[in-house]
């Protein structure tokens, strides 16, 4: 009995050692080349560090509340080829949506979109593979900056080879953007001031995740939802990855950290994820809030407050929440007694299938039978969790396949509608051209007939005039002849 207790205590100590966060990367690692500027560090960003070391007794064990259905306007955008002007917006962008990219059609294509942009309201800019508009142009990620109670936003854009992103200067005076009529503003940004990305899918509205400048917003897709301030993205670095898919390719990575007090599953996060936009967007989410397909494949022009565009109606999206987030975490106290659990990677469950779970310290006066019963209960709970995770994974895969099929059907239907509309417009143009040709021919025939009639009239008038002249000449000759005859008759012989 004493030997068993010693083994359990040793296992708890070993688990506590494994739960420590990895050492921070070197300090000289900076943002990727796409963002040549380094944003000034948020003034109170370091204040979040103590929260990671907060005692586990302070971590709330309340059940996660799924977000309500969310109306989303989803559009394609025709990105500008220069940095757009900054916009100051009165509330934070919503949490990220899930949008798995399709297969890359061409190595030169770049994954753009998949982020919240401003069109008089936060609008989802749908992702798509697109070639650079000109050789050598690079894609610059959108920029979000928490300043005071507002957000400074710069949309994504294509930049020339010699162009670098220039962050809006501190203290820059901007006019607060005016929302569209009928739009209810959301909550202001909650978190440290400075550059950030929207939080993971299913998070509390208003929360932000501090991040280095140039970070793709999709890096947080695989992280658990956050319900309090504390998650942050740090340390963009370069790592050479070699496997069957990516060979000797430099991949930018970022580190996502969050204390257990900030996450919806009450588990600390310390994970490295790819900072390449399409790889980040392909992560498996913990809470799945799918991005709706745009109502039209025609992209919108970049936002301009002086030239508003007509937005399509919103589509309502629903969050798909795994079962383990909607029920209390019963194993958390036992894990704390055993020395804590290792930090979970974004998108992974708190306990991996097949791994032993600490059963906690034996109660005073316990015996081997009670210990075995506790282990059996823990194993049964693991089996239930594993079954629920597998079922959830199957549901997510089925829903992803269904949504992809729906998107393909919608795209095919849109293409069919566009082809029918093009055909109808071409037929209308042909009919219009035929009618115009017929009208022109009729006008030309009428004009020719008119000219012929006028010519005939002129000829008739000329003939009548000639006839009249001939008659006048005959009458004059007759009169002269009669006058001469009379003169000869009255002539007296000498």
């Amino acid at each position: 009995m004493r030997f068993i207790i010693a083994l359990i205590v040793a296992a708890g100590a070993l688990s506590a050692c494994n739960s420590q966060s990895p050492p921070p990367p070197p300090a000289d690692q900076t943002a990727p080349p796409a963002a040549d500027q380094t944003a000034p560090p948020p003034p109170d960003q370091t204040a979040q560090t103590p929260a990671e070391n907060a005692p586990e007794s302070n971590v709330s064990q309340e059940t996660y509340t799924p977000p309500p259905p969310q109306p989303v306007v989803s559009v394609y955008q025709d990105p500008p080829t220069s940095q757009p002007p900054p916009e100051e917006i009165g509330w934070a962008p919503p949490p990220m949506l899930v949008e798995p990219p399709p297969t890359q059609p061409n190595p030169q294509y770049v994954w753009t979109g998949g982020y919240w942009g401003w069109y008089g309201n936060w609008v989802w800019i749908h992702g798509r593979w697109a070639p650079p508009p000109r050789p050598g142009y690079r894609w610059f990620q959108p920029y979000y900056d928490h300043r005071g109670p507002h957000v400074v936003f710069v949309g994504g854009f294509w930049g020339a080879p010699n162009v670098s992103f220039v962050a809006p200067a501190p203290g820059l005076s901007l006019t607060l953007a005016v929302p569209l009529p009928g739009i209810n503003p959301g909550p202001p940004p909650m978190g440290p001031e400075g550059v950030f990305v929207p939080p993971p899918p299913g998070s509390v509205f208003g929360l932000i995740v501090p991040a280095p400048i140039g970070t793709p917003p999709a890096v947080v897709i695989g992280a658990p939802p956050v319900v309090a301030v504390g998650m942050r993205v740090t340390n963009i670095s370069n790592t050479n990855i070699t496997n069957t898919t990516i060979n000797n390719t430099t991949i930018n990575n970022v580190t996502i950290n969050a204390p257990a007090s900030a996450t919806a599953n009450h588990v600390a996060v310390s994970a490295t994820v790819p900072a390449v936009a399409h790889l980040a967007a392909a992560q498996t989410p913990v809470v799945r809030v799918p991005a709706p397909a745009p109502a039209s494949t025609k992209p919108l022009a970049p936002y301009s407050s002086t030239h508003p565009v007509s937005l399509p109606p919103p589509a309502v999206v629903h969050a798909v929440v795994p079962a383990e987030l909607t029920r209390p975490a019963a194993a958390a106290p036992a894990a704390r007694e055993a020395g804590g659990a290792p930090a979970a990677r974004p998108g992974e469950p708190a306990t991996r299938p097949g791994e032993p779970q600490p059963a906690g310290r034996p109660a005073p006066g316990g015996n081997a039978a009670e210990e075995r019963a506790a282990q059996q209960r823990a194993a049964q709970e693991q089996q239930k969790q594993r079954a629920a995770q597998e079922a959830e994974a199957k549901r997510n895969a089925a829903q992803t396949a269904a949504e992809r099929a729906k998107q393909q059907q919608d795209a095919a239907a849109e293409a069919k509608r566009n082809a029918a509309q093009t055909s109808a417009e071409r037929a209308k143009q042909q009919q219009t051209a035929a009618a115009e040709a017929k009208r022109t021919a009729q006008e030309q025939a009428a004009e020719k007939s008119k000219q012929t009639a006028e010519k005939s009239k002129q000829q008739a008038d000329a003939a009548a005039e000639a006839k009249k002249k001939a008659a006048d000449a005959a009458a004059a000759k007759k009169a002269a002849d009669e006058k001469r005859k009379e003169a000869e008759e009255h002539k007296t012989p000498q």
Side-chain angles (χ1 to χ4, degrees):
M1 180 65 184
R2 187 174 303 170
F3 177 72
I4 295 175
I5 294 175
L7 285 179
I8 294 176
V9 172
L14 181 60
S15 175
C17 294
N18 292 336
S19 64
Q20 296 178 357
S21 302
D28 60 347
Q29 294 170 343
T30 56
D36 297 335
Q37 300 291 327
T38 302
D44 58 348
Q45 186 171 354
T46 56
Q48 298 302 319
T49 303
E52 296 184 1
N53 300 324
E56 291 292 333
S57 59
N58 293 335
V59 178
S60 172
Q61 295 298 326
E62 296 180 0
T63 303
Y64 170 70
T65 302
Q70 177 184 355
V72 175
V73 175
S74 180
V75 299
Y76 288 115
Q77 187 190 56
D78 188 12
T81 54
S82 60
Q83 181 172 328
E87 296 283 344
E88 185 172 0
I89 302 159
W91 68 94
M96 288 294 294
L97 302 180
V98 177
E99 186 181 354
T103 303
Q104 187 176 12
N106 187 295
Q108 304 301 323
Y109 280 39
V110 179
W111 180 251
T112 66
Y115 65 89
W116 291 105
W118 181 255
Y119 275 89
N121 189 16
W122 288 113
V123 172
W124 182 255
I125 308 299
H126 209 73
R128 69 190 328 175
W129 290 104
R134 299 182 184 89
Y137 270 59
R138 296 177 298 160
W139 173 253
F140 288 85
Q141 298 294 336
Y143 172 90
Y144 305 88
D145 193 348
H146 175 202
R147 300 189 183 184
H150 300 153
V151 171
V152 174
F153 170 74
V154 179
F157 66 97
W158 294 105
N162 58 344
V163 169
S164 299
F165 177 80
V166 179
L172 179 66
S173 178
L174 297 172
T175 301
L176 188 63
V178 178
L180 293 173
I183 298 299
N184 295 322
M190 293 181 287
E193 291 198 10
V195 183
F196 71 92
V197 293
S203 299
V204 173
F205 280 65
L207 288 175
I208 61 174
V209 178
I213 190 171
T215 302
V219 297
V220 297
I221 290 295
V226 289
V227 295
V229 174
M231 180 175 286
R232 69 179 187 271
V233 179
T234 57
N235 302 326
I236 292 185
S237 60
N238 294 329
T239 303
N240 288 326
I241 299 178
T242 303
N243 54 31
T244 58
T245 304
I246 305 175
N247 297 318
N248 298 325
T249 302
T250 300
I251 301 297
N252 295 318
N253 291 272
V254 295
T255 301
I256 297 180
N257 296 293
S261 58
T263 62
N265 58 2
H266 315 302
V267 176
V269 174
S270 179
T272 299
V273 298
V276 180
H278 70 278
L279 298 179
Q283 296 180 89
T284 302
V286 177
V287 171
R288 193 170 187 280
V289 187
S296 173
T297 58
K298 183 179 180 181
L300 297 182
Y303 173 76
S304 173
S305 58
T306 57
H307 297 88
V309 298
S310 178
L311 297 177
V316 178
V317 297
H318 301 265
V320 180
V321 183
E324 56 267 22
L325 278 186
T326 58
R327 59 173 178 258
R336 288 200 302 271
E337 289 184 11
R345 292 174 63 87
E348 293 183 355
T351 303
R352 295 186 178 90
E355 291 185 357
Q357 182 178 4
R361 301 179 186 274
N367 51 37
E370 292 178 354
E371 293 173 6
R372 285 195 298 272
Q375 292 175 357
Q376 291 175 356
R377 288 193 297 270
Q380 291 174 355
E381 182 64 24
Q382 283 185 354
Q383 291 177 355
K384 290 180 181 179
Q385 291 180 358
R386 185 162 53 249
Q389 292 166 0
E390 291 175 353
E392 182 66 24
K394 290 181 180 179
R395 285 195 297 270
N396 290 342
Q399 186 167 359
T400 300
E403 289 180 356
R404 187 169 295 143
K406 185 177 183 301
Q407 290 177 356
Q408 292 175 350
Q409 291 175 356
D410 293 342
E414 180 69 18
K416 187 176 180 180
R417 284 194 298 271
N418 291 341
Q421 186 175 359
T422 302
S423 178
E425 290 178 355
R426 188 177 294 118
K428 184 177 179 181
Q429 291 174 356
Q430 291 175 351
Q431 291 176 357
T432 303
E436 182 67 22
K438 184 177 179 181
R439 186 165 53 252
T440 303
Q442 290 175 348
E443 291 177 354
Q444 290 176 352
E447 182 66 22
K448 187 175 181 180
S449 177
K450 183 179 178 181
Q451 292 175 357
T452 302
E454 290 180 353
K455 186 176 181 180
S456 298
K457 184 180 178 182
Q458 290 174 357
Q459 290 175 352
D461 292 343
E465 184 68 22
K467 187 177 180 181
K468 182 180 179 183
K469 288 181 179 179
D472 291 344
K477 183 179 179 183
K478 184 179 180 181
D481 290 342
E482 289 178 353
K483 187 175 182 181
R484 188 175 57 253
K485 187 178 180 181
E486 288 179 358
E488 289 177 354
E489 289 178 352
H490 290 84
K491 187 176 182 181
T492 306
Q494 296 295 329

